[in-house]
Amino acid sequence: MEIPAAVSTLYGRSDELEQITQHLNDPDHRLVSLIGPGGIGKTSLALEAARRYGDRTKDGAIFIDLQSIDQHELVVQRLADALQISIQNNETALAQITQFLSSKETLLYFDNFEQVIEAAPLIADLLLNSPGTTALVTSRTPLRLTQEWILQVDGLSTPQSNAANNSTSNAATQLFVDRAIKVRPDLQIEQNLPHIEKICEIVEGMPLAIEIAASWAHLLECSEIAQELQNDRSLLESNMRDVPERHRSIDAIFNQSMAMLSETEKSVFAKLSIFRGGFTRDAAITVAGANLPTLASLTDRSLIRVAGNGRYRIHELVRQFGADQLAQNPNEISAVQKNHCDYYIEFLAKRHVTLTVKNQVETAHEIEAEAENVRTAWQYAIDNKLAPQIASAATPYGQFIQYRGRYAVAGQTFSHAVKTFEAQTENSENSKALALLLIEHGRFSLRQGNLDEAQHAYERSETLHASLKMQPQYGLLMDPQLGYAYLDSTRGNVQQAVTHTQKVLERAHQENHQLHVAMANQLLGHLALRQGKLDEAREHDQTALDSCSQQGERWFVAYCHNELGEVEIAEGNYAAATEHFTQSLNVSREFQDRANIGLAQVCLGEVATLAKKYDDAAQLFEDSKIAYDQLGDRGGSARVQSGLAALAVATGNNGAAFHYLKELLESAVEMQYSAMTLDALESIGELVLKTRNENEGKKLYGFVAAHESTDSRTQARLKAVVPNNDEPQSPTGSLDDHVALAQNFLAHIQNELKEEISASVAQ
């Protein structure tokens, strides 16, 4: 039987087609097997490869369709039928076929070989006795023949899996659009693109699932299709009459694979569905009771696959199918969930020290690989109020999330956990878990600009620490007193912040808590800098950096470099400041810490602005803005607004400056960020000086210059703007008074700069 003509476009398989052709042309690889789960697109890929290869061979390609047979003895007859040979005697059938092929140059394409895998030796005999024959096979299971070259077929590239391609050029999106337009010609592609991308990501680029999902476009909006798929797989059932019965639904395909398994294999496969984002062999053994032969069998049948680095993964739709099988046995699912929770909570707890010092980067990447499993285990522990497990995992989990800068996720995670344990009966285990959860909740509330919530969390945690006679855990920012210090620093209460920090430093020395020694020194350096004590600031910051280096701590090193960079800015050493911020950026990139990546970039942008390298500054601020927007970090976003405002003022873009400064002042006041508020007042003063009159600008300058919470970068801008022989006088009044004054100035400026403001908004 000749290869059927193409009836639809094949999307995104150019690399695979090139590999198949290359190996079919290699005399040592005359057998190529395309292996993968049902619905992954093996047949479409193989048909196209067979057409292309057959067109270049003397006798073309032959298609042998095995989908309707399940006895390996029938393969010879099906092959003979495809070759149009009349078999005279079953005992000599293979000899007749071999004789027929001996003088030919042809490709034999066997489709759906997994149903007759025992017939694999037949292909070996054909290749041995027919030197002009090559074979192409699709199967869910490898043939295990010497000449076999295996290509593992995966889903099509999706927007998430192929970031180099834009949304409209990745294969999964193209396939969906092609199929959806056939049933709904008026589909608005651009408008629906985010939902189409989501659909393709949910099904992990599985072509059959994409086609079935697209077939619903005539009845449902793309957003509805995506929502339905997130709930269950029932939507992935086709009513198209020309679709083969075995491809009418995703579950029908998976049931075919399940029919090939032993009872033990079925049980293990169902248990493996508990894993999210892949798993290691050790996890499979411990959690699901798997062994190496069972894992090998499931891999052979394409239900799981080796993902590299000792990990396995399951296609999400296959995993959901397995989860449905597991759910049919309530006792078994309970045991598996408990095993999974225990395994990954212990996994976190064991990495507490290496995550904190010495092997932080490697450990963070190790946890990242298991992030979905860790999240699932954590949620199970919270839902079941497992206080000892939460107490052992809270600190390393919080530290890991901080390294990755996932503050929005952390806020929800620890807020929910705190509420759960606050509602529990008070006992030592529950109280210990709550004390540690509150520390993390305070940390991330502080980072998100929720200062009152952070204050409450630290106060409650301190009370519990005292009642339990608990010492601070080993880690960064684990002392409630340190939390108070950061809160006071943020609110502009510099002397109170110094007092809290000195207490932390004294206790840290007594307990040899070197991480808190480093953090306390870094914060004291920051506070000294705000007081204009540059030598003291440098000494504290260098002590913090040295302490981190001695312990092998790497992540906090970046923040020490940030402070040293700020000292260099205060002294006007822009090249040295750039070097420190660059080192900070490089360290944070190792950790994939998007928060400090954004901070280092905005600091570099501020230095570039002061050095009048305005194009460099604009690009750095834009890069930082992207990082903070992704994080949902309000404080970081305000810092970018500050940098953009200063850049706009410096370059005379008054309309843009007004826009940035109005938003910055509102955000800084709302979040109680005194230094940021003063920074906004300085830039507003500069804008007023340029657009209205000198005296109004000086009113703001004098207040900002004299205030104890004014940070080094703001002071550096003041020095650049105010002439040395015209130092501003310190006026009377509070911060609130000057905020009101600045708002009044902005209201006047808005009337005077209407056209420039309109132009900046339009851009």
Side-chain angles (χ1 to χ4, degrees):
M1 179 180 177
E2 294 184 356
I3 302 299
V7 295
S8 60
T9 303
L10 181 69
Y11 290 101
R13 297 295 194 186
S14 56
D15 290 346
E16 291 94 330
L17 288 168
E18 184 176 344
Q19 292 179 62
I20 294 168
T21 301
Q22 177 184 343
H23 285 280
L24 287 174
N25 286 330
D26 184 346
D28 294 329
H29 290 154
R30 291 164 55 211
L31 168 61
V32 172
S33 294
L34 309 187
I35 307 300
I40 207 67
K42 301 185 298 295
T43 296
S44 298
L45 174 58
L47 284 170
E48 183 61 27
R51 288 186 201 102
R52 296 187 182 191
Y53 186 81
D55 289 344
R56 296 194 300 272
T57 59
K58 183 179 70 174
D59 297 299
I62 301 297
F63 177 51
I64 304 99
D65 186 2
L66 304 176
Q67 67 170 308
S68 61
I69 64 173
D70 56 7
Q71 299 178 37
H72 68 275
E73 297 87 353
L74 300 178
V75 175
V76 173
Q77 183 61 56
R78 185 57 59 91
L79 173 58
D81 292 343
L83 294 171
Q84 298 182 6
I85 299 174
S86 178
I87 299 297
Q88 303 300 319
N89 187 318
N90 286 338
E91 294 180 2
T92 62
L94 182 57
Q96 286 182 252
I97 292 172
T98 302
Q99 177 64 33
F100 176 82
L101 293 172
S102 61
S103 60
K104 294 185 179 296
E105 181 184 314
T106 190
L107 169 71
L108 302 179
Y109 163 34
F110 296 87
D111 193 37
N112 296 293
F113 211 95
E114 69 276 356
Q115 302 177 129
V116 289
I117 200 69
E118 295 86 351
L122 164 67
I123 295 181
D125 289 339
L126 288 172
L127 297 178
L128 178 64
N129 297 300
S130 307
T133 299
T134 55
L136 178 64
V137 171
T138 62
S139 177
R140 300 181 194 183
T141 304
L143 274 59
R144 304 294 184 201
L145 298 176
T146 303
Q147 283 195 316
E148 183 180 31
W149 178 79
I150 296 174
L151 174 64
Q152 188 75 43
V153 181
D154 292 320
L156 299 175
S157 64
T158 65
Q160 186 180 55
S161 65
N162 193 2
N165 286 340
N166 62 44
S167 298
T168 55
S169 66
N170 68 82
T173 300
Q174 289 176 337
L175 177 61
F176 184 95
V177 170
D178 179 271
R179 301 302 192 263
I181 285 178
K182 290 179 179 178
V183 298
R184 186 173 178 176
D186 63 344
L187 180 66
Q188 300 297 310
I189 305 303
E190 291 300 323
Q191 179 181 339
N192 284 283
L193 201 52
H195 307 301
I196 294 172
E197 292 173 359
K198 186 64 178 178
I199 292 166
C200 295
E201 289 173 14
I202 291 171
V203 302
E204 295 188 16
M206 179 180 279
L208 179 62
I210 291 172
E211 293 194 28
I212 296 176
S215 72
W216 285 96
H218 71 295
L219 289 177
L220 300 175
E221 297 297 331
C222 293
S223 58
E224 294 175 307
I225 296 173
Q227 184 61 46
E228 288 291 328
L229 289 178
Q230 286 181 309
N231 295 331
D232 58 55
R233 304 178 315 282
S234 62
L235 194 69
L236 296 177
E237 184 170 345
S238 175
N239 59 4
M240 305 299 286
R241 293 188 176 90
D242 59 347
V243 174
E245 186 65 34
R246 64 193 181 94
H247 280 180
R248 290 283 176 89
S249 76
I250 293 298
D251 280 7
I253 291 173
F254 298 158
N255 279 319
Q256 290 176 344
S257 296
M258 290 292 288
M260 303 176 188
L261 303 181
S262 68
E263 291 304 313
T264 297
E265 290 168 342
K266 289 177 182 177
S267 175
V268 169
F269 168 70
K271 292 175 183 177
L272 291 175
S273 69
I274 194 71
F275 293 107
R276 300 294 185 101
F279 53 90
T280 62
R281 177 154 61 101
D282 180 70
I285 292 170
T286 305
V287 175
N291 56 33
L292 191 56
T294 301
L295 291 173
S297 178
L298 295 174
T299 302
D300 279 351
R301 288 166 172 78
S302 298
L303 287 167
I304 65 175
R305 65 164 301 181
V306 178
N309 299 320
R311 294 184 63 78
Y312 296 83
R313 68 177 295 272
I314 311 178
H315 189 286
E316 176 57 19
L317 293 178
V318 179
R319 191 201 65 77
Q320 291 177 17
F321 178 81
D324 286 347
Q325 308 302 306
L326 182 62
Q328 295 175 18
N329 189 332
N331 292 332
E332 193 166 79
I333 192 172
S334 296
V336 173
Q337 287 174 331
K338 182 64 166 58
N339 290 344
H340 182 272
C341 174
D342 290 345
Y343 183 89
Y344 284 103
I345 292 295
E346 185 180 2
F347 169 89
L348 267 180
K350 284 181 177 178
R351 285 155 180 79
H352 183 163
V353 175
T354 56
L355 185 65
T356 308
V357 293
K358 298 190 183 300
N359 295 307
Q360 292 167 285
V361 175
E362 297 83 356
T363 305
H365 291 332
E366 188 180 7
I367 296 174
E368 182 66 50
E370 301 289 3
E372 282 300 303
N373 284 315
V374 167
R375 183 192 61 78
T376 301
W378 173 270
Q379 191 58 53
Y380 179 88
I382 293 295
D383 291 344
N384 289 275
K385 291 83 176 179
L386 305 179
Q389 287 89 331
I390 290 300
S392 68
T395 300
Y397 195 30
Q399 194 68 69
F400 166 72
I401 294 174
Q402 169 137 327
Y403 286 172
R404 289 304 196 249
R406 294 169 182 159
Y407 300 134
V409 171
Q412 297 170 359
T413 297
F414 288 103
S415 174
H416 172 67
V418 164
K419 289 176 182 177
T420 298
F421 276 87
E422 281 182 333
Q424 298 309 299
T425 303
E426 286 193 22
N427 58 46
S428 59
E429 287 188 344
N430 287 339
S431 294
K432 181 180 179 180
L434 181 57
L436 296 172
L437 289 171
L438 284 162
I439 284 283
E440 300 304 327
H441 182 46
R443 178 208 304 268
F444 293 111
S445 295
L446 179 60
R447 290 305 299 255
Q448 289 182 293
N450 301 321
L451 303 193
D452 291 340
E453 195 166 337
Q455 180 84 34
H456 175 75
Y458 284 129
E459 289 172 351
R460 181 81 174 101
S461 181
E462 184 179 42
T463 300
L464 289 169
H465 272 77
S467 67
L468 295 169
K469 298 182 180 180
M470 284 175 58
Q471 297 301 320
Q473 286 265 307
Y474 191 67
L476 292 164
L477 221 173
M478 299 306 299
D479 189 333
Q481 286 286 331
L482 195 52
Y484 295 151
Y486 277 108
L487 283 165
D488 281 326
S489 174
T490 302
R491 287 169 167 153
N493 304 323
V494 174
Q495 289 303 323
Q496 288 179 235
V498 169
T499 300
H500 284 303
T501 310
Q502 287 174 338
K503 288 181 181 178
V504 171
L505 185 59
E506 182 180 351
R507 181 156 67 181
H509 279 304
Q510 291 173 352
E511 298 169 359
N512 195 30
H513 196 317
Q514 292 301 311
L515 289 176
H516 281 172
V517 169
M519 290 198 82
N521 272 290
Q522 188 253 19
L523 183 52
L524 286 171
H526 173 78
L527 295 168
L529 179 60
R530 285 167 67 172
Q531 295 172 301
K533 303 173 182 178
L534 302 189
D535 290 340
E536 182 180 333
R538 188 190 300 277
E539 183 179 350
H540 279 300
D541 293 335
Q542 190 62 51
T543 299
L545 182 61
D546 292 343
S547 180
C548 289
S549 300
Q550 289 166 8
Q551 297 172 82
E553 199 290 330
R554 184 81 176 138
W555 177 77
F556 196 64
V557 162
Y559 292 83
C560 295
H561 278 298
N562 286 343
E563 289 301 323
L564 285 165
E566 299 283 7
V567 174
E568 298 296 350
I569 287 177
E571 294 188 336
N573 301 326
Y574 299 152
T578 298
E579 177 61 27
H580 279 298
F581 293 137
T582 301
Q583 289 192 55
S584 172
L585 180 61
N586 291 338
V587 170
S588 295
R589 281 175 171 161
E590 291 179 35
F591 282 92
Q592 300 173 25
D593 177 2
R594 292 180 295 167
N596 196 59
I597 288 172
L599 178 57
Q601 287 171 330
V602 81
C603 288
L604 286 167
E606 290 164 354
V607 176
T609 301
L610 289 167
K612 299 183 179 180
K613 298 178 180 179
Y614 299 134
D615 290 342
D616 292 345
Q619 185 59 58
L620 286 161
F621 289 140
E622 181 60 30
D623 292 342
S624 182
K625 184 178 186 301
I626 292 170
Y628 280 125
D629 285 348
Q630 290 174 341
L631 289 169
D633 185 331
R634 294 178 66 204
S637 296
R639 181 75 178 260
V640 176
Q641 290 281 96
S642 171
L644 288 169
L647 177 61
V649 171
T651 55
N653 190 347
N654 296 332
F658 172 86
H659 172 73
Y660 291 132
L661 288 170
K662 187 173 184 296
E663 289 189 3
L664 173 62
L665 186 61
E666 290 173 355
S667 297
V669 170
E670 180 190 349
M671 292 187 294
Q672 306 174 51
Y673 279 24
S674 64
M676 192 72 70
T677 303
L678 290 160
D679 187 77
L681 295 183
E682 188 281 330
S683 291
I684 292 169
E686 191 173 345
L687 182 62
V688 170
L689 189 68
K690 288 186 175 185
T691 58
R692 289 181 60 76
N693 68 67
E694 188 174 329
N695 289 331
E696 289 181 337
K698 283 185 176 181
K699 288 179 182 178
L700 294 178
Y701 279 145
F703 180 78
V704 173
H707 201 285
E708 67 172 358
S709 293
T710 301
D711 63 23
S712 57
R713 60 198 172 88
T714 309
Q715 294 284 8
R717 290 210 307 271
L718 280 168
K719 289 179 182 179
V721 174
V722 180
N724 290 331
N725 61 354
D726 190 22
E727 291 294 331
Q729 299 298 312
S730 177
T732 58
S734 67
L735 179 60
D736 289 343
D737 292 336
H738 286 80
V739 167
L741 186 63
Q743 290 171 334
N744 183 55
F745 289 159
L746 286 175
H748 287 295
I749 291 171
Q750 185 171 12
N751 292 326
E752 296 167 11
L753 299 177
K754 282 183 180 179
E755 292 185 5
E756 291 180 74
I757 293 170
S758 297
S760 70
V761 172
Q763 292 173 358

